[in-house]
Amino acid sequence: MKKSILFLLACCSFSAMPLAHSADQVELRFAWWGGKARNQATLKALEAFEAKYPNIKVKAEYTGWDGFYSRLTTQINSNTEADVMQTNWNWLTLLSKTGDGFYDLNKLSQPIGLDQFSPEALASTTINGKVNAIPISANVMLFYYNAATWKKAGVALPKTWDELLNAGPVFKEKLGDSAFPLILTDQDSLLLLNSYVYQGNQKPMVDEKTRKLGWDHADLVEAFTFYRKLVDAHTVPDAKTMASFGKGVAYEMKPWLNGEWGGVYNWNVLYTAESQNLKDPSDLVMGNYPMREGAKDAGQFHKTALMFSISKNTRHPQEAAMLINFLMSEKAGVEPVGLERGVPLSQSGEKILRDAGELQDSDPVLAGLLQSAELPNQSKALPYLEDPQFIALFVAALQNIDYGKETIDQAATTFEEQANRILRRIMR
């Protein structure tokens, strides 16, 4: 077990050399996305940073997830991006194909604390020998259920795909039309169906060699058919139902808060935010990961999660590095944030949370990583499955099916044609 998650929690030596930085007044811009809990925790950590370094002021620029990437790309194209940015792993293939899109952190190895991270973790954020980001944590897609809701429905938590499907009619009968065993937002839908189909065909959705879809028409039909099975069984809401709640974070919507939505398929790093919005946070528990009969691989999406990058245009690289190191490896920066960004890959960050009693192997965030390590998980995480255009196209296919605009076969054909055009463009 320890060996299988070594990359997640690897330890390195720590250098405690004093940091040299400007004594002049400096303003850093720091941009990130998150829910209320992450935002409040980060602001508290920034207050502690400014108290330690009175000459450095941090301008916080935080939003929700929706629109963050498009805003960031607009800023990068106009050289107006923040000094420090929370970034996503797949963005490296889009914004820094040659490794020159962000500041090379090798040049800031001491103030940013590169020796806090394992070579494996840093390799995931390195392009052409240039470290483009500090890996904050590891991320896996998991099933989390509101145990109180499932108990109210009188249904045991599912262990198989069939049990998940069969729970839908019971929820509808016992709890009403607005209650569902599971909800799926845009990317969640894609990654769940990717996992389900991969368990059956062992084929990556995208072929990196041909720069085209790795799935054929029949594979897409299978994915869309299973989605409709979930909807028809009242296991998940359809696109029209989800759209009725408007844009926003699903775990901040009323049906989640009041327990009508019985579960999520989402990143382990989001557990804290999701659970805190329930009447009793301990009601949110990790479920089994379902496997199709005869499956040799779970097809579970696992990757380096959130990252911190520094703008290649920053005028204050030293101070920017100090801010990241403070948030990742210093007590006053680590403790306020806790697990809001996942289990720290920083050696010191992990130790700080363990010593504070905030991180234990039984913690759902870490338990999710441990569960993933026990599953047969050899499939490669493909960054193209997180590309906004690719996700939007996939979601549009589901919506067209739900609204009756296309049959499953027609939606598969449309997606296949347009997805290959997108892949040719983003994989150049």
Side-chain angles (χ1 to χ4, degrees):
M1 173 62 68
K2 291 182 179 179
K3 182 177 181 181
S4 62
I5 63 167
L6 180 62
F7 138 79
L8 305 175
L9 300 172
C11 292
C12 307
S13 60
F14 174 59
S15 172
M17 292 174 62
L19 303 179
H21 64 96
S22 172
D24 298 332
Q25 195 67 32
V26 169
E27 180 179 86
L28 290 176
R29 291 169 54 211
F30 175 28
W32 77 88
W33 73 88
K36 293 179 181 178
R38 180 185 295 170
N39 296 340
Q40 292 171 357
T42 304
L43 290 172
K44 187 174 181 180
L46 294 183
E47 289 179 7
F49 177 79
E50 292 179 338
K52 181 174 181 178
Y53 302 105
N55 68 307
I56 305 176
K57 298 301 178 185
V58 182
K59 182 181 178 182
E61 301 177 5
Y62 55 95
T63 66
W65 166 253
D66 288 339
F68 185 91
Y69 177 75
S70 60
R71 187 181 301 107
L72 176 63
T73 55
T74 298
Q75 291 176 333
I76 288 177
N77 289 334
S78 60
N79 297 324
T80 59
E81 70 272 21
D83 299 280
V84 178
M85 298 160 279
Q86 180 178 290
T87 49
N88 223 7
W89 168 72
N90 68 299
W91 296 351
L92 296 181
T93 62
L94 303 171
L95 302 177
S96 189
K97 292 182 178 180
T98 62
D100 297 318
F102 298 100
Y103 202 98
D104 180 8
L105 303 185
N106 284 313
K107 299 176 182 178
L108 299 166
S109 60
Q110 193 277 321
I112 208 165
L114 283 189
D115 57 0
Q116 287 292 301
F117 302 88
S118 71
E120 294 88 350
L122 291 176
S124 69
T125 62
T126 299
I127 302 175
N128 291 336
K130 300 172 183 177
V131 179
N132 273 223
I134 289 295
I136 299 174
S137 58
N139 230 356
V140 292
M141 290 294 290
L142 296 165
F143 291 85
Y144 289 105
Y145 299 110
N146 185 333
T149 300
W150 282 75
K151 183 178 180 180
K152 188 176 179 181
V155 185
L157 297 182
K159 296 181 180 179
T160 67
W161 293 109
D162 285 342
E163 289 178 359
L164 178 60
L165 278 164
N166 293 338
V170 181
F171 265 63
K172 183 176 182 179
E173 177 186 354
K174 298 288 184 64
L175 304 181
D177 290 344
S178 60
F180 294 89
L182 189 74
I183 58 164
L184 296 173
T185 56
D186 293 356
Q187 187 185 29
D188 309 339
S189 301
L190 189 159
L191 296 183
L192 181 141
L193 296 175
N194 175 68
S195 176
Y196 177 81
V197 174
Y198 191 89
Q199 288 181 14
N201 67 14
Q202 306 291 292
K203 291 161 58 178
M205 191 175 186
V206 175
D207 188 325
E208 293 186 292
K209 291 183 179 179
T210 63
R211 299 181 181 181
K212 296 169 57 178
L213 284 175
W215 287 3
D216 57 25
H217 186 81
D219 297 322
L220 290 169
V221 168
E222 181 183 15
F224 295 154
T225 298
F226 184 66
Y227 167 74
R228 277 307 308 183
K229 286 180 67 176
L230 291 168
V231 171
D232 292 340
H234 197 80
T235 301
V236 302
D238 63 9
K240 187 175 182 179
T241 301
M242 291 302 295
S244 69
F245 295 99
K247 288 286 186 181
V249 180
Y251 54 81
E252 293 178 353
M253 294 179 178
K254 186 176 179 180
W256 179 257
L257 303 181
N258 64 22
E260 289 180 287
W261 291 344
V264 290
Y265 181 68
N266 215 327
W267 303 110
N268 69 303
V269 71
L270 292 177
Y271 173 86
T272 303
E274 291 164 347
S275 63
Q276 286 181 352
N277 286 334
L278 298 179
K279 293 179 181 178
D280 183 351
S282 65
D283 283 339
L284 192 64
V285 299
M286 182 176 66
N288 288 82
Y289 202 92
M291 297 284 289
R292 296 174 67 171
E293 186 176 352
K296 297 179 181 178
D297 196 293
Q300 185 185 34
F301 205 86
H302 48 95
K303 60 163 190 172
T304 292
L306 306 174
M307 310 183 302
F308 285 139
S309 298
I310 294 178
S311 167
K312 65 180 179 181
N313 300 306
T314 183
R315 293 182 298 168
H316 309 293
Q318 192 83 0
E319 288 80 5
M322 291 164 57
L323 173 59
I324 293 176
N325 182 69
F326 184 84
L327 294 173
M328 291 297 303
S329 300
E330 294 190 30
K331 185 175 181 179
V334 172
E335 284 192 345
V337 178
L339 297 173
E340 280 297 330
R341 289 187 172 88
V343 179
L345 290 177
S346 160
Q347 173 198 355
S348 290
E350 182 213 345
K351 185 177 185 302
I352 288 167
L353 292 184
R354 285 192 180 277
D355 290 346
E358 293 187 48
L359 178 59
Q360 301 174 3
D361 288 351
S362 59
D363 184 281
V365 177
L366 181 52
L369 299 177
L370 296 173
Q371 183 197 71
S372 178
E374 290 187 328
L375 291 169
N377 261 322
Q378 300 304 316
S379 59
K380 181 180 179 181
L382 299 170
Y384 319 105
L385 301 193
E386 293 196 288
D387 178 80
Q389 296 177 70
F390 193 87
I391 294 172
L393 182 64
F394 191 86
V395 172
L398 300 183
Q399 291 173 340
N400 287 338
I401 295 169
D402 284 343
Y403 282 89
K405 294 181 178 180
E406 289 184 314
T407 65
I408 287 176
D409 189 72
Q410 290 170 337
T413 298
T414 302
F415 179 81
E416 190 171 11
E417 294 172 352
Q418 297 183 11
N420 281 328
R421 285 200 289 270
I422 290 174
L423 291 172
R424 283 194 296 270
R425 184 165 60 250
I426 66 177
M427 297 176 75
R428 284 183 301 192

